[in-house]
Amino acid sequence: MGGAKAEDKPAAAAADDWCYQFGNKNAFDLKSPKKSPLPLRMVVFAMTMLCGISICSMCMKQLGSDGWSRIVKIEVVEQPCNKSTVPPSEVQFVHYPQPITYSREECKCNAVQFFAIISSQRSGSGWFETLLNSHMNVSSNGEIFSRKERRSNISSIINTLDKVYNLDWNSSASKNECTAAIGFKWMLNQGLVANHVDVVDYFNQRGVSAIFLFRRNLLRQLVSQLANNHDRSLKQLNGTHKAHVHTKHEAHILARYKPRLNTTSLTWQLKQADEYTRDALQNLNNTATSLSITRISFATEHTALLQKLFDVLDFLKVPRRNLVSRHVKIHTKPLSEQIENWDEVYSALNGTQYEGFLNAADYVV
């Protein structure tokens, strides 16, 4: 037994020694793990990035280019302008242009009417256009086809028309106000008659309204043309190129000029002018099945003139307001005081179909 006890004692002592060593913090040398060196971490980061790029590339190949465009392309769809209030018969003539050269911003849903003032020289179109341009919602751009390159062929004409009606014309005042009517002056001899079929087709497609403005008294128109030619000759001699907006003093000087008419060819001249205008109106009117046409007449009486101007504003769908012009009328006297050889002219036209021009008032039709 003693031997057994003697053998158990070392075992118990060993257990005590183990317990002591376990409780002693110095029994084991526990060191913190070493940090990875910086180059190793950079290598791991680079490999992670390469793996990420590789995975993204494989995903993109599976999606394809169309799928990518669907992911990254976000289109902002603007709400269209409300046309429900426009009567069906007028939808063709209501436009919402989107200029390329600038933004209409708050005016983008303001409906715009397209128009063209069709006329001939010395018919009062310049005076009429200044009246329209005094309205804050109307922008008329003058004789845009006075330059030959703009009317050289139908392609040039249509390109010019597109710029005007898209509000991208350089001289357009539509950039300053919410324009409700945009147009210009077009003389019959500025490519209009020569291309009337294509022009009317364009007017029908774009919903352009035409205002025909012609002078009833062709004799007065002829006298005005001769006076205008005389005025231009004087300006060329003096080296000036002032626009045809005369002061009262200048108008008084020009009114003193009395042209001498060639009575031998006078009847033929009036006939040619009359037939030219009638043919132009017939071609434009008969060909254009949906072309809106209004004929306006300006009388010297103020009330009648005011009413006719209001009719034009109603035709263009713009608010009524008083219109003003800086133009000064040059010839206010009777024809007998404007023509140098009046007696010869009277004898040449008396008894002809044009004798009514001798004493007729100067109305515009």
Side-chain angles (χ1 to χ4, degrees):
M1 290 182 64
K5 290 181 181 179
E7 292 175 358
D8 291 341
K9 186 174 181 180
D16 292 340
D17 292 341
W18 168 254
C19 291
Y20 173 79
Q21 291 175 0
F22 184 78
N24 188 353
K25 64 179 181 179
N26 294 325
F28 297 98
D29 187 11
L30 299 177
K31 296 182 179 180
S32 60
K34 295 183 178 180
K35 295 183 178 180
S36 301
L38 179 61
L40 179 60
R41 283 184 288 169
M42 293 298 295
V43 170
V44 173
F45 177 75
M47 293 183 65
T48 304
M49 290 295 295
L50 289 174
C51 290
I53 294 173
S54 178
I55 293 172
C56 289
S57 178
M58 288 188 293
C59 292
M60 291 306 303
K61 289 181 180 179
Q62 292 178 358
L63 288 173
S65 59
D66 293 339
W68 174 248
S69 63
R70 288 194 297 268
I71 293 175
V72 300
K73 186 182 293 184
I74 301 175
E75 295 183 357
V76 179
V77 179
E78 296 183 358
Q79 293 295 328
C81 299
N82 184 16
K83 299 182 182 180
S84 60
T85 58
V86 181
S89 60
E90 298 181 7
V91 170
Q92 180 187 7
F93 305 99
V94 176
H95 312 279
Y96 300 93
Q98 296 180 353
I100 299 175
T101 55
Y102 69 101
S103 174
R104 294 189 74 204
E105 297 179 353
E106 71 274 7
C107 301
K108 63 183 179 181
C109 282
N110 282 46
V112 179
Q113 301 279 330
F114 297 163
F115 70 89
I117 304 169
I118 298 176
S119 185
S120 57
Q121 279 78 9
R122 314 311 303 167
S123 294
S125 59
W127 169 64
F128 173 64
E129 188 177 41
T130 58
L131 287 170
L132 287 184
N133 274 330
S134 68
H135 195 292
M136 65 182 298
N137 301 121
V138 179
S139 177
S140 190
N141 295 276
E143 294 183 35
I144 61 174
F145 289 111
S146 60
R147 295 179 59 175
K148 293 182 179 180
E149 63 269 19
R150 295 173 185 165
R151 62 176 194 263
S152 57
N153 53 58
I154 190 60
S155 297
S156 300
I157 290 174
I158 291 178
N159 181 56
T160 302
L161 291 174
D162 285 341
K163 286 184 179 180
V164 172
Y165 293 131
N166 203 45
L167 308 185
D168 281 317
W169 196 247
N170 293 333
S171 61
S172 176
S174 58
K175 301 178 177 129
N176 302 324
E177 301 289 348
C178 285
T179 297
I182 183 78
F184 63 98
K185 286 194 307 178
W186 202 346
M187 302 295 106
L188 293 178
N189 62 349
Q190 294 176 349
L192 178 56
V193 172
N195 299 278
H196 69 273
V197 175
D198 293 318
V199 169
V200 168
D201 287 343
Y202 179 91
F203 279 13
N204 287 331
Q205 293 173 9
R206 297 297 304 270
V208 179
S209 302
I211 301 175
F212 287 87
L213 185 65
F214 294 101
R215 201 162 186 167
R216 177 180 298 171
N217 194 323
L218 298 178
L219 182 59
R220 284 184 175 268
Q221 184 176 5
L222 178 60
V223 172
S224 180
Q225 287 176 344
L226 294 173
N228 183 61
N229 294 339
H230 175 71
D231 180 32
R232 287 185 176 181
S233 299
L234 291 178
K235 289 178 178 179
Q236 289 177 356
L237 290 174
N238 297 329
T240 60
H241 300 280
K242 187 178 179 181
H244 299 291
V245 180
H246 304 286
T247 64
K248 291 183 178 180
H249 177 67
E250 291 172 331
H252 177 70
I253 295 175
L254 291 173
R256 291 188 300 179
Y257 170 71
K258 293 184 177 183
R260 184 177 184 86
L261 305 185
N262 184 349
T263 55
T264 304
S265 61
L266 180 59
T267 304
W268 177 84
Q269 284 181 285
L270 295 176
K271 182 179 180 180
Q272 288 291 105
D274 188 23
E275 291 179 350
Y276 183 76
T277 302
R278 289 179 184 274
D279 290 344
L281 283 173
Q282 184 177 4
N283 290 332
L284 294 169
N285 193 14
N286 292 344
T287 308
T289 56
S290 61
L291 181 66
S292 295
I293 299 175
T294 181
R295 289 187 176 88
I296 51 180
S297 59
F298 294 106
T300 54
E301 201 272 318
H302 178 72
T303 303
L305 171 62
L306 187 62
Q307 183 57 50
K308 288 299 179 181
L309 291 176
F310 283 163
D311 291 344
V312 173
L313 297 181
D314 293 342
F315 176 73
L316 296 177
K317 304 293 189 300
V318 295
R320 289 187 174 188
R321 60 169 295 177
N322 292 330
L323 306 179
V324 296
S325 173
R326 293 177 51 238
H327 274 242
V328 179
K329 188 174 179 62
I330 297 175
H331 298 287
T332 57
K333 297 179 181 180
L335 279 174
S336 58
E337 301 181 26
Q338 297 182 39
I339 301 174
E340 183 180 350
N341 57 334
W342 168 251
D343 293 337
E344 297 177 11
V345 170
Y346 188 90
S347 300
L349 297 182
N350 190 30
T352 68
Q353 58 181 324
Y354 303 113
E355 66 177 350
F357 295 158
L358 296 171
N359 300 309
D362 189 17
Y363 295 159
V364 179
V365 182

